[in-house]
Every structure is written in structure tokens, then in C-alpha cells.
Amino acid sequence: GAVFVHDLSFRAHPDYFPRTVAWYMRWLTGLAIRQARLVLTVSEFSRRELHRFYRVDPARVTIAPPAVGTEFQPAAGSAADRATLARYGLEPPYILALGNIHPRKNLARLLAAYQALRAEGKVARRTTDQVKRPRSITDQPVDASGPVRRSVI
């Protein structure tokens, strides 16, 4: 069998996770790696982390960077795209961020970039109400005034 390990942040930064989650992930990942004939990961960095934390022989690890096929390229200006953007009140260009709101995702920097681009008129000004305020994303202060209070989805 094979196992795909995306990252080992629960090992490198166990303080980012509840103790039981970090322990469970550590145990489960170790078990999966020991039972797998093939170990896949996303980068050379993750390959080194596999060796660092689990002593996996780097020669046993195959790097498979995340990517999509050309068939998944957006159709420029399709009716479906326009309908989705209209539903959220957006006009290109805009920023789309998907993921959790953990500090290691560095969303404070994304929001700062958004503010800079917005000041230059280069991104949409409309936001949604579906994500927590930036102050809940990171312990770094973020100016949450104006339309930057929320994230565009």
C-alpha cells in the first residue's frame, strides 16, 4: 500500500493542536508510514521532515506536487462563472482563500496584501459574512476596519 503525507505540522508544532489530536496524528501517521510500501509527499521539505520525525529513508519517499490537469482550466467568462460571481456580488479581480483559520496559514499577511491591493483598486470591494473577523485568525493585530472585516469566499 501507499500513504500520502501532506505535512507534519502536528510534529513540528504540536502546540498548534489539541494534545490529543497531536498525539493521535503522530501515532496514526507513524503506523501508516510503517505499513506503507510507498510514501508520497508534496515537497522536498516534507520529505526531509519525514526523515527527521519518522526516520523514513528519503529514497523511499516520492514527491508528488499538488497540481491539476489542463482540463481543469477555467473557461474565461463562462455563464457559470458570471452567475457565481453575481451571487456573491463580486467582480474580477478578487482574492479567494480556502482553508482553515489557523495562525500557521498566515492569513494576516493575506489580509494585509488584500488591503494594499484594495487601496490600489485592484481587487473587489465586496466581502461575505461567512468567515470570522481577522482578529480571530491570528494573534497579530490586523486593521479590521471597513470592508476588510470579512473574507471573500
Side-chain angles (χ1 to χ4, degrees):
V3 62
F4 201 115
V5 180
H6 286 268
D7 74 71
L8 295 170
S9 55
F10 56 90
R11 291 294 308 262
H13 303 283
D15 51 309
Y16 287 174
F17 300 87
R19 186 180 304 237
T20 55
V21 171
W23 177 86
Y24 179 73
M25 291 299 297
R26 182 179 180 164
W27 172 78
L28 187 62
T29 301
L31 177 66
I33 289 169
R34 284 190 302 278
Q35 291 181 351
R37 191 171 46 85
L38 176 63
V39 180
L40 298 140
T41 194
V42 295
S43 65
E44 183 60 40
F45 173 80
S46 293
R47 182 197 315 242
R48 288 190 306 269
E49 292 288 273
L50 282 161
H51 177 71
R52 174 181 167 203
F53 291 114
Y54 291 101
R55 298 294 178 221
V56 177
D57 179 0
R60 195 173 141 225
V61 180
T62 298
I63 297 173
V68 296
T70 56
E71 66 271 23
F72 293 105
Q73 298 301 314
S78 73
D81 288 347
R82 288 190 302 275
T84 300
L85 293 174
R87 186 171 74 220
Y88 291 104
L90 296 173
E91 294 178 15
Y94 54 89
I95 296 173
L96 173 67
L98 301 172
N100 63 31
I101 57 170
H102 199 277
R104 67 188 156 95
K105 299 298 183 175
N106 203 7
L107 293 178
R109 179 158 299 190
L110 174 64
L111 290 170
Y114 171 83
Q115 288 174 324
L117 290 169
R118 184 177 176 273
E120 297 173 16
K122 294 183 178 178
V123 291
R125 297 176 190 272
R126 163 105 179 157
T127 59
T128 71
D129 294 324
Q130 299 179 22
V131 176
K132 296 179 182 178
R133 291 177 56 88
R135 293 188 89 76
S136 68
I137 294 171
T138 177
D139 56 2
Q140 298 175 14
V142 173
D143 178 12
S145 62
V148 185
R149 280 181 271 173
R150 300 175 205 87
S151 295
V152 176
I153 295 181

